[in-house]
Amino acid sequence: MSARTATARTTTGRSRRRPSRARRRQVLRRRLTLVAGFALTVVAVLSLVHPVDKAVQEIQLPLRHEDIIRQQALEKNVDPSLIAAVIYTESHFRDQTSNAGAKGLMQLMPDTADYIARKSGGTRFEREDLATPQINISYGTWYLRYLLTKYHGNTVLTLAAYNAGEGKVDEWWRKASDKGETFNVAEHIPFPETRNYVHRVLSARTEYRRTYAPELGL
């Protein structure tokens, strides 16, 4: 075998073992196409999952009328997440009338609404107006502000009074004060319903702060 023939065979073997530059570019393009396709698939899946997660979230912790809540919170200096938590606990953001006769999103008793109308200058107020979100949230927030002021910013006393009435809370608070004790939900609220109500609203307020901070302007 001549040296020329051996060299030719060696060269031919190398060319078979090493793909050409064009072939390498083709393989690289295929790989990039596969990677890009995979990335697009991931983005598409995530875009489908996010609306589902959002829908589940809104079922579990709904939020409606956030523009009214922000407006009333700013106007009356009340934490918007507290307003949302009260609405959620009272009605789950559904306009309804309770067996006791409380009405609307914030479940206001008609007599309480009449009192709020007199104090806030609502001379044209009619009880049917409590079905209107703007009026119901406005009156409910006014009442929260009134109670917060009366109880010196104490949210627990405010929520207890919102649920059980001022007369009961004044009595409970007075008994605790007479004993020299700081008012405590577990010890000084005898009504299980009111104790549970206070805990539910405070827990919901935390969730609304965490979940809907931008929507509530926090």
Side-chain angles (χ1 to χ4, degrees):
M1 181 187 300
S2 66
R4 182 177 300 175
T5 303
T7 301
R9 287 182 178 179
T10 301
T11 303
T12 303
R14 287 177 182 172
S15 64
R16 288 175 181 174
R17 288 194 300 269
R18 299 178 60 185
S20 66
R21 185 174 298 175
R23 175 64 177 171
R24 291 198 298 273
R25 285 200 295 267
Q26 185 178 12
V27 171
L28 179 60
R29 282 196 298 269
R30 286 180 179 176
R31 289 177 179 175
L32 291 174
T33 300
L34 288 173
V35 170
F38 177 76
L40 289 173
T41 301
V42 170
V43 170
V45 170
L46 290 176
S47 67
L48 291 174
V49 169
H50 180 70
V52 172
D53 289 345
K54 186 69 173 177
V56 171
Q57 171 185 287
E58 290 182 351
I59 292 172
Q60 294 175 340
L61 192 73
L63 178 65
R64 305 288 184 270
H65 314 297
E66 55 266 37
D67 53 339
I68 302 175
I69 293 173
R70 288 195 308 269
Q71 174 208 14
Q72 291 301 312
L74 182 62
E75 181 178 311
K76 296 177 173 66
N77 191 27
V78 177
D79 177 6
S81 64
L82 180 63
I83 301 171
V86 169
I87 297 174
Y88 171 75
T89 305
E90 291 286 351
S91 69
H92 279 239
F93 284 85
R94 295 190 296 267
D95 177 33
Q96 55 187 301
T97 300
S98 72
N99 293 332
K103 294 181 177 294
L105 298 172
M106 298 191 75
Q107 289 291 277
L108 293 168
M109 294 298 292
D111 289 344
T112 302
D114 290 340
Y115 172 80
I116 295 170
R118 289 194 303 270
K119 289 293 185 178
S120 63
T123 56
R124 298 182 179 179
F125 170 75
E126 297 180 2
R127 291 182 173 185
E128 292 76 12
D129 295 336
L130 289 175
T132 305
Q134 177 70 51
I135 293 176
N136 195 283
I137 296 174
S138 174
Y139 277 29
T141 305
W142 187 98
Y143 192 43
L144 284 175
R145 168 39 57 199
Y146 163 78
L147 293 172
L148 284 166
T149 301
K150 175 177 180 175
Y151 295 114
H152 308 288
N154 189 310
T155 305
V156 169
L157 290 172
T158 294
L159 294 175
Y162 198 98
N163 177 260
E166 297 173 60
K168 289 294 183 183
V169 173
D170 291 346
E171 178 186 341
W172 301 336
W173 179 85
R174 192 179 305 110
K175 287 181 179 179
S177 181
D178 290 344
K179 295 177 182 179
E181 298 173 350
T182 301
F183 192 89
N184 179 276
V185 173
E187 296 179 13
H188 299 118
I189 297 180
F191 293 174
E193 176 190 339
T194 302
R195 289 199 302 269
N196 182 53
Y197 177 84
V198 171
H199 285 304
R200 286 170 60 201
V201 175
L202 292 178
S203 177
R205 180 180 66 174
T206 299
E207 289 302 309
Y208 275 100
R209 284 177 176 173
R210 182 180 64 85
T211 306
Y212 291 110
E215 291 85 348
L216 294 172
L218 297 172

